[in-house]
Amino acid sequence: LDSDRNTALFLNLPFRLFETAMSPVLDDRRAAVRAQIGLALAILTAAPLRMHNLIALRLDRHVIHPGGPRGPVHIVVPGTEAKAGEIIEYLLPLEVQELLDTYLKDFRPRLCGDQCPWLFPATGGKQKSQSTLSQQIKETITKETGLTITPHQFRHIAAKFLLDQNPGNFETVRQ
């Protein structure tokens, strides 16, 4: 991602996936899965979680709206669920919040009912498997951008972007 072109392709991919998910060409389920992958990419870019934390995100536990439904959205993973044992908290940027809102309103209902707690459900309301979402993410990035990036690499990419903007800020990267 040292190329401006590749960085733009990578960062714009979630938004392009949502655009195509909204087109009438895709059936309901395929459109919902495409939006789901787009949201996963947007969250991983803004909040580089480990995949087991990403697929375990629950709307009733991890997606927090401290200011009410129109306020900012935080992704919060309790320390008991995090590898290092410390709370993980990310404030989602506005553009990712907008994708989340669109996904919850227009696409997630095509995969599960209101009683389903998972942000990333499989069809039928069960938790999507880590291997399935990981494979979908990797294949989509490769197909749409020509880049080979795995979900595990998002944490490294976040560190690169942070250090590009703040050279020498290794403490923030470490945390």
Side-chain angles (χ1 to χ4, degrees), residues 3-173:
S3 153
D4 289 343
R5 177 191 171 277
N6 287 344
T7 298
L9 282 171
F10 175 74
L11 293 176
N12 290 322
L13 181 56
F15 306 98
R16 289 198 339 263
L17 292 174
F18 267 80
E19 283 177 22
T20 58
M22 290 186 232
S23 76
V25 176
L26 299 177
D27 64 48
D28 280 355
R29 186 183 174 327
R30 286 181 51 217
V33 170
R34 192 159 181 89
Q36 188 179 67
I37 295 165
L39 180 62
L41 290 169
I43 289 174
L44 284 172
T45 302
L49 299 166
R50 289 182 168 83
M51 277 303 291
H52 71 273
N53 291 121
L54 181 72
I55 58 114
L57 291 177
R58 294 174 55 114
L59 294 171
D60 59 349
R61 180 175 170 94
H62 304 105
V63 180
I64 311 297
H65 299 81
R70 293 282 186 223
V73 178
H74 294 252
I75 299 294
V76 180
V77 178
T80 56
E81 298 174 27
K83 183 177 178 181
E86 295 180 21
I87 294 173
I88 299 169
E89 182 171 358
Y90 291 102
L91 171 63
L92 293 181
L94 184 57
E95 61 271 13
V96 177
Q97 291 180 42
E98 290 170 355
L99 292 181
L100 173 65
D101 290 343
T102 301
Y103 170 75
L104 293 175
K105 182 173 126 301
D106 297 335
F107 296 105
R108 187 175 169 277
R110 301 176 193 184
L111 300 171
C112 67
D114 290 339
Q115 300 305 314
C116 172
W118 308 110
L119 180 59
F120 298 108
T123 303
K126 295 186 171 149
Q127 179 181 6
K128 189 163 206 157
S129 78
Q130 181 174 329
S131 61
T132 298
L133 187 56
S134 292
Q135 189 66 27
Q136 289 173 326
I137 288 170
K138 183 180 176 194
E139 288 176 359
T140 300
I141 292 171
T142 301
K143 180 180 177 188
E144 299 290 330
T145 68
L147 303 170
T148 303
I149 297 174
T150 66
H152 175 75
Q153 291 173 308
F154 275 80
R155 294 167 53 77
H156 302 279
I157 291 167
K160 179 206 178 325
F161 288 157
L162 184 93
L163 290 171
D164 284 351
Q165 292 178 355
N166 303 286
N169 191 353
F170 298 110
E171 180 58 21
T172 301
V173 169

